[in-house]
Amino acid sequence: ISVPRKVRKGLLKDILLRYLSRKDVLVLNWAPKGEKPKTAEAYKVLKKCKLQEKRLNLFVSVDDVLTLSSFANLANVSPVCFDQPNAYDLSNARKWVILEKDLGAFKEMVKQWI
């Protein structure tokens, strides 16, 4: 089934506005340390923010392998790449998390919805 572009754009915009109005979009200042992914460090930053039990969408660049790998083993975190957001994945989380280093890419992604 094909969804018209205008309808898809409107739906993504509505989802974005719902998360913003509930203040469920968070920006974290975190970056992987070293050359290998560390799930323990990723869990630690979520625990510090009291997000370790909440269902999260983590927006990340598709080429950021260290971040993707660090969060991949956390059951409550769903990575969403900037080039592939869809309504189901976006609305299937309690909060959205964007890393500070990826804030520009996030803004470019949502600019297409508005």
Side-chain angles (χ1 to χ4, degrees):
I1 297 175
S2 176
V3 178
R5 182 180 174 133
K6 192 173 186 178
V7 172
R8 184 178 40 221
K9 183 177 172 181
L11 179 60
L12 294 176
K13 179 181 174 182
D14 288 346
I15 293 170
L16 170 68
L17 294 176
R18 184 179 70 208
Y19 276 83
L20 289 174
S21 69
R22 294 187 324 211
K23 297 182 179 169
D24 285 336
V25 179
L26 308 168
V27 178
L28 296 180
N29 186 10
W30 182 84
K33 297 174 184 166
E35 298 293 319
K36 296 193 299 187
K38 302 281 185 180
T39 302
E41 286 181 18
Y43 181 79
K44 185 190 270 186
V45 74
L46 294 180
K47 188 172 182 178
K48 182 179 178 182
C49 299
K50 296 182 170 96
L51 297 172
Q52 75 275 13
E53 300 295 323
K54 295 186 180 2
R55 182 109 177 105
L56 307 173
N57 279 340
L58 174 70
F59 291 88
V60 65
S61 175
V62 71
D63 60 344
D64 190 354
V65 178
L66 284 177
T67 300
L68 282 168
S69 299
S70 294
F71 285 92
N73 291 330
L74 299 176
N76 63 314
V77 178
S78 296
V80 176
C81 294
F82 294 115
D83 64 342
Q84 62 180 7
N86 64 62
Y88 177 77
D89 288 339
L90 293 179
S91 61
N92 195 26
R94 176 73 176 98
K95 299 208 180 269
W96 290 1
V97 176
I98 303 104
L99 299 178
E100 191 173 292
K101 66 183 181 69
D102 295 327
L103 194 54
F106 180 78
K107 288 178 182 179
E108 286 299 315
M109 178 184 71
V110 299
K111 189 186 298 184
Q112 297 173 11
W113 307 344
I114 298 175

